[in-house]
Amino acid sequence: MLCHHHGLDITTDWTFHVLPQDAIAAWPAQSLRPSTVIAAGYPALDGTQLADAIRALTG
């Protein structure tokens, strides 16, 4: 899971991306940004969507 904070309040304004471990390991670190992750088909999720996305990935 990748987390991205966008805002001033650390308790809010988070988005998450759930990717398989091998995808994260193979991704060039300098291009691991929200826009490139979204373009690769891993949507931005909020905290309420995490459990379902993780279950879908892990079976």
Side-chain angles (χ1 to χ4, degrees), residues 20-42:
Q21 184 176 352
D22 58 336
I24 294 173
W27 210 295
Q30 67 274 15
S31 67
L32 194 54
R33 296 185 300 271
S35 60
T36 57
V37 173
I38 291 169
Y42 302 102

Side-chain angles (χ1 to χ4, degrees), residues 1-40:
M1 174 175 47
L2 302 173
C3 307
H4 175 74
H5 183 257
H6 47 93
L8 300 175
D9 183 354
I10 196 71
T11 64
T12 63
D13 302 322
W14 287 92
T15 54
F16 305 90
H17 303 273
V18 177
L19 289 75
Q21 184 176 352
D22 58 336
I24 294 173
W27 210 295
Q30 67 274 15
S31 67
L32 194 54
R33 296 185 300 271
S35 60
T36 57
V37 173
I38 291 169

